[in-house]
Amino acid sequence: MTGTNPTVAPVTGAPATTVPGSAPGGLVKSVVELDRVVIRLAGDSGDGMQLTGNRFTSETASFGNDLKTLPNFPAEIRAPTGTLPGVSSFQLQFADHDVMTPGDAPDVLVAMNPAALKANLGELPGGGLLIVDSDEFTPRNLAKVGYATNPLEDGSLEGWQTVSVPLTSMTTDALKDSGLGKKEAERSKNMFTLGLLSWMYHRPTEGTIRFLERQFRRKPEIAAANIAAFRAGYNYGDTTEAFTVSYEIKPAPMKPGRYRNISGNQALALGLVAAGRLSGLPVFLGAYPITPASDILHELSRHKSFGVRTFQAEDEIAGIGAALGASFGGALGITTTSGPGVALKGETIGLAVMTELPLVIVDVQRGGPSTGLPTKTEQSDLLQAMFGRNGEAPVPVIAPRSPGDCFAAAVEAARIALAYRTPVMLLSDGYLANGAEPWAIPDTDSLPDLRPAVGFATEPNGSTADGTPEFLPYLRDPETLARAWAIPGTAGMQHRIGGLEKADKTGNISYDPANHDFMTRTRQAKIDGIAASIPPTDVEDPDGDSRVAVIGWGSTYGPIGAACRRIRSSGRKVAQIHLRHINPFPADLGEVLARYDRVICPEMNLGQLALLLRAKYLVDVQSHTQVRGMPFRSAELAAVIQDAIDSTSASLNGAPQ
């Protein structure tokens, strides 16, 4: 075992106190109190980095820290072992205060092999803590990633606090009496690592032990081995001289309530379950598995007792077709997908627009085009959501801003779909879907009543020329312009359904030019009218006199918010505007944008929201974009904002640009 002892805090936040303690054998160890830390675990996609990160996250959430996570893994089910394309990582920032991102860069990097080291070392700041599994630095593994010499021995890691630990062999030694073979025992090294980190950061251990017992209840020998490895890692940290410091991050102050750790996909699925209960309707999901949306299907399939029915279709088109059919039959129809699936579903979305039936389309965006980057995040489906159908086919578009907010966004999408009888696009993304944070479980009494003001049609709502009562399926509610919704089989409510243009009121097939013009404008007016039911624009401008505003949507909320905090902490002023509703925009958005001399719009695409804002409000929005498959870094955005503030001030003072 080689390396330097990490005797200083590997984070930028200054320690509050250092408390001496003693380990078995009389070894004196200090406890350093920190305000936050960013940890990145990296290894092969088969090393269990995601499981390790998720367990550490769960225990951190139960301890009471605020946190944000960033899983990052390859698209292949099992990428080539020991290679750069096969590296999987999990980053977590946790703190004694509220945090908005998983952190720009790690303070602590755990590298399970040379590939993980090479892929991630460039992002570990100088002086950061580096823990490596020395057993994996074999000549063969080093050659796979192009290391001519062993970095653990050639002095190239002197700029970091490097602790070389034989994680693999220590794990197999701990499990020598478990009855497992060498290969099986080595698979538990992630639990040894988790135990070590749990000691280093004073994480609870009982939850992980219960998880392992539950996870491997049908294989008790595997459960026992993982628990033994976990405890061995914890005890190693407690007794070794390699680590003379452990760290304490106190719980963050939070509003009173009951919290749980939740990912974006979990929150979105629970929001859809809640929407079914709040509307009094059964929930039907028609979906084809696709990364990164599949976990919504998995989660919803667990909730049959709440009136949820899931259908794994043979393809994307069948999935949305079944969901729209369920809506026609009186259910809350839902389909989930990612960008490539939205392209396939476009014709049926248009059918939902024409038939004016409620439908929620969840697009968990990923890098594109085509298959693109299945496991990486992006926001490049906005224009597809807005316009990706033939004809004038307007669809409401909303987007959650954080993993926990996916719950509320799902409820809101269902509200709009049911109240206005329209398909709704809900744009999440891979960063939100796989990321996690503490989520305050809402009081059910605080959730909205989603039962439509005008329920199912059960009796005629019009009459023929001779006075005979009849059902007019396209007779509209004067407030929402929603048409009547009649469940098939209701006596006297027979009506035509399909994709051909409908005659006003009767819903009969019509090729009349004036009727087509009227119905097209009416469908658009219905979507435009949704603006009357959504809250004012979300603006954070503490002093109310900022000259520069940063506007974003979806998952850019966290990085933009963190960047704005950096700017304000330096004494500068900046406003943050965040949009949940993108079609229609909030009614006051034009007025809000006009308050500022400069508006910056960061997006993980090539400027799609900026394009919409410029077209609608004639505002010279400054677009700042990236499409790297990763979320923005707050430091990068802060630099962009700072430049905008400086240039705006210079312009107002008459200085040359």
Side-chain angles (χ1 to χ4, degrees):
M1 190 181 333
T2 62
T4 58
N5 292 342
T7 56
V8 297
V11 293
T12 56
T17 56
T18 302
V19 181
S22 60
L27 177 64
V28 176
K29 296 202 173 190
S30 300
V31 178
V32 176
E33 191 173 299
L34 306 175
D35 62 353
R36 65 164 190 87
V37 70
V38 180
I39 299 174
R40 183 182 297 177
L41 304 165
D44 270 330
S45 56
D47 281 341
M49 294 297 94
Q50 303 305 316
L51 174 62
T52 306
N54 283 326
R55 283 313 313 159
F56 193 88
T57 298
S58 294
E59 296 303 331
T60 297
S62 69
F63 184 76
N65 297 119
D66 195 22
L67 61 91
K68 292 289 187 297
T69 70
L70 177 61
N72 185 19
F73 45 88
E76 290 76 17
I77 294 174
R78 183 66 190 269
T81 303
T83 64
L84 293 174
V87 173
S88 172
S89 68
F90 188 102
Q91 183 163 306
L92 161 74
Q93 177 172 207
F94 59 105
D96 63 4
H97 55 275
D98 69 303
V99 295
M100 303 190 75
T101 74
D104 285 359
D107 303 307
V108 180
L109 172 62
V110 179
M112 304 297 283
N113 60 20
L117 178 66
K118 190 164 190 177
N120 292 278
L121 184 62
E123 297 184 44
L124 181 66
L129 177 58
L130 173 63
I131 302 173
V132 295
D133 182 0
S134 58
D135 288 329
E136 292 297 315
F137 282 69
T138 63
R140 182 165 182 249
N141 287 344
L142 292 168
K144 281 184 181 180
V145 294
Y147 276 127
T149 59
N150 189 339
L152 303 183
E153 301 170 352
D154 63 11
S156 61
L157 302 179
E158 290 181 354
W160 296 274
Q161 298 182 79
T162 304
V163 182
S164 177
V165 182
L167 294 171
T168 302
S169 57
M170 292 184 73
T171 301
T172 55
D173 287 346
L175 302 183
K176 61 184 177 182
D177 297 326
S178 66
L180 299 181
K182 184 174 183 291
K183 287 284 187 184
E184 288 180 307
E186 287 179 353
R187 293 194 187 105
S188 296
K189 65 182 178 182
N190 63 325
M191 289 296 105
F192 187 100
T193 305
L194 178 60
L196 173 59
L197 291 175
S198 297
W199 171 82
M200 284 181 64
Y201 293 98
H202 296 216
R203 300 298 91 182
T205 59
E206 296 81 5
T208 294
I209 292 172
R210 288 195 300 268
F211 167 82
L212 292 170
E213 291 172 341
R214 183 174 64 251
Q215 184 77 4
F216 299 105
R217 60 187 179 278
R218 295 177 181 174
K219 296 182 178 180
E221 70 282 2
I222 301 297
N226 278 288
I227 292 170
F230 175 70
R231 286 173 169 159
Y234 191 99
N235 292 335
Y236 168 74
D238 198 25
T239 58
T240 182
E241 295 182 7
F243 295 94
T244 60
V245 177
S246 64
Y247 306 95
E248 181 178 3
I249 295 92
K250 290 185 175 179
M254 294 185 180
K255 293 180 180 179
R258 188 179 180 191
Y259 287 78
R260 60 161 289 181
N261 183 50
I262 201 165
S263 71
N265 275 345
Q266 288 175 322
L268 201 153
L270 294 181
L272 295 172
V273 175
R277 305 298 285 182
L278 295 167
S279 64
L281 300 177
V283 172
F284 180 93
L285 173 69
Y288 180 74
I290 184 171
T291 302
S294 298
D295 284 342
I296 302 173
L297 169 62
H298 302 157
E299 182 66 31
L300 284 175
S301 69
R302 300 186 178 103
H303 298 289
K304 297 180 180 67
S305 60
F306 290 103
V308 178
R309 184 173 298 177
T310 54
F311 168 54
Q312 182 174 320
E314 64 268 29
D315 56 41
E316 296 282 3
I317 299 171
I320 190 173
L324 184 58
S327 291
F328 178 57
L332 174 56
I334 300 160
T335 190
T336 54
T337 189
S338 190
V342 174
L344 292 168
K345 296 178 188 290
E347 184 177 8
T348 307
I349 298 172
L351 178 60
V353 172
M354 179 63 78
T355 56
E356 300 191 47
L357 288 168
L359 179 68
V360 177
I361 305 110
V362 178
D363 176 5
V364 185
Q365 301 166 95
R366 71 191 206 189
S370 187
T371 308
L373 304 172
T375 61
K376 310 301 180 183
T377 195
E378 209 161 278
Q379 291 182 302
S380 50
D381 293 346
L382 177 55
L383 294 183
Q384 181 179 214
M386 289 287 294
F387 307 117
R389 297 161 292 282
N390 67 298
E392 295 288 343
V395 169
V397 179
I398 68 174
R401 68 185 190 180
S402 68
D405 189 50
C406 288
F407 177 91
V411 172
E412 174 67 357
R415 180 193 72 83
I416 293 173
L418 294 169
Y420 293 88
R421 308 285 200 270
T422 179
V424 177
M425 293 288 298
L426 175 55
L427 295 182
S428 180
D429 62 44
Y431 172 40
L432 296 183
N434 296 316
E437 66 179 356
W439 175 61
I441 300 173
D443 182 353
T444 55
D445 292 337
S446 69
L447 298 176
D449 184 352
L450 298 189
R451 290 172 296 182
V454 179
F456 295 126
T458 57
E459 56 186 28
N461 57 358
S463 58
T464 61
D466 62 4
T468 303
E470 69 171 335
F471 174 55
L472 300 175
Y474 282 80
L475 184 66
R476 300 178 182 277
D477 176 81
E479 182 177 346
T480 64
L481 298 182
R483 77 168 184 89
W485 187 10
I487 298 178
T490 305
M493 300 293 105
Q494 298 92 330
H495 60 284
R496 294 180 185 272
I497 199 77
L500 290 171
E501 181 62 280
K502 305 292 182 287
D504 182 35
K505 297 183 177 64
T506 66
N508 294 331
I509 295 171
S510 173
Y511 298 104
D512 178 67
N515 177 78
H516 177 58
D517 184 274
F518 175 79
M519 293 295 280
T520 299
R521 294 180 187 277
T522 300
R523 287 188 289 264
Q524 182 64 59
K526 180 175 71 170
I527 303 307
D528 292 342
I530 294 171
S533 72
I534 63 180
T537 303
D538 180 8
V539 182
E540 183 182 346
D541 189 356
D543 297 317
D545 58 354
S546 300
R547 292 175 173 175
V548 173
V550 188
I551 188 168
W553 66 280
S555 65
T556 57
Y557 173 78
I560 292 174
C564 288
R565 286 183 179 180
R566 286 181 178 231
I567 294 297
R568 292 176 190 137
S569 67
S570 69
R572 302 298 187 95
K573 297 179 180 180
V574 65
Q576 180 181 5
I577 304 170
H578 192 78
L579 299 177
R580 166 177 282 175
H581 297 85
I582 305 171
N583 191 34
F585 287 127
D588 65 339
L589 180 57
E591 175 189 341
V592 169
L593 293 176
R595 299 176 195 164
Y596 300 98
D597 298 315
R598 181 165 297 186
V599 177
I600 308 167
C601 184
E603 297 180 78
M604 292 187 292
N605 55 48
L606 296 184
Q608 297 183 19
L609 176 61
L611 181 71
L612 297 175
L613 295 173
R614 288 171 181 150
K616 186 171 181 64
Y617 300 110
L618 302 181
V619 173
D620 185 18
V621 175
Q622 176 185 332
S623 186
H624 179 75
T625 65
Q626 73 168 39
V627 280
R628 298 188 293 234
M630 296 290 284
F632 280 107
R633 294 178 177 173
S634 58
E636 172 193 344
L637 292 181
V640 172
I641 297 169
Q642 185 65 65
D643 288 345
I645 292 173
D646 291 343
S647 61
T648 300
S649 299
S651 176
L652 292 173
N653 293 330
Q657 296 299 297

